[in-house]
Amino acid sequence: MEIQYRLARERDIPEILAIIRQAQKSIGKLGIGQWQDGYPNRKVFEEDIRKEQCYVFACSKQIAGVMVVSFETEECYQALTGGTWLSKRPYGVLHRIAVADSLRGSGLSDQMVELAEILCLQNGISSLRVDTHEGNLPMRKFLKKHGFSLCGIVDYGGPDGKRIALEKLL
């Protein structure tokens, strides 16, 4: 199975949102509030695409995965509680990573994280950060498998805004 990746384009948004809806259903089955309130949505991805930080992954020319790699400072990461970041250096952030149901377990998500790491290194960044809901055990297991370390808690606000924050030094 050959997977190709590229920066997302606005015309990709319907396929991106279809994958996000699949991920929302999967996360919803975990009984947690992450991605259950209409986030992420079209507006979020339009902004990610405008900033050239959204990537799509295609198999047989059909989009099968999406992720965002940002090099902007994440405001809530400044107020980490319950621990410390592994580094104080500039960092990349992995956000909004999702794989189509048809390719779950195929290794696509592994390739996506590898690309995020490569993008960081190409930009002179040696740290990759990510956050996820405490109850998102599949994602936590996945991130641990990829060498991410638990660093503390970040809070996006709201009743379900606390997230486990992780970092990997590259």
Side-chain angles (χ1 to χ4, degrees), residues 31 35 55 81 85 137 140 150:
W35 286 17
Y55 293 83
T81 60
W85 292 111
L137 299 180
R140 290 176 61 186
L150 177 63

Side-chain angles (χ1 to χ4, degrees), residues 94-169:
L94 179 60
H95 279 309
R96 296 179 279 290
I97 182 170
V99 173
D101 286 348
S102 61
L103 285 178
R104 288 231 174 101
S106 69
L108 175 56
S109 55
D110 298 323
Q111 292 178 41
M112 294 167 80
V113 170
E114 288 171 18
L115 176 63
E117 294 172 5
I118 289 167
L119 292 170
C120 285
L121 293 171
Q122 287 175 342
N123 283 277
I125 305 291
S126 60
S127 168
L128 182 59
R129 294 180 181 177
V130 64
D131 60 82
T132 192
H133 194 283
E134 180 180 26
N136 193 340
L137 299 180
M139 184 61 158
R140 290 176 61 186
K141 181 179 176 184
F142 171 78
L143 293 168
K144 183 177 180 182
K145 176 181 115 177
H146 284 277
F148 285 84
S149 299
L150 177 63
C151 294
I153 304 292
V154 295
D155 193 345
Y156 285 96
D160 198 38
K162 290 191 177 178
R163 299 286 183 260
I164 292 178
L166 304 103
E167 183 174 23
K168 178 179 182 179
L169 299 180

Side-chain angles (χ1 to χ4, degrees), residues 58-107:
C59 178
S60 301
K61 297 190 180 189
Q62 182 162 351
I63 294 176
V66 61
M67 75 172 183
V68 171
V69 178
S70 171
F71 298 106
E72 297 177 0
T73 300
E74 189 71 36
E75 198 65 35
C76 70
Y77 284 15
Q78 306 300 321
L80 182 76
T81 60
T84 57
W85 292 111
L86 300 178
S87 129
K88 296 192 185 311
R89 299 184 298 246
Y91 55 88
V93 182
L94 179 60
H95 279 309
R96 296 179 279 290
I97 182 170
V99 173
D101 286 348
S102 61
L103 285 178
R104 288 231 174 101
S106 69

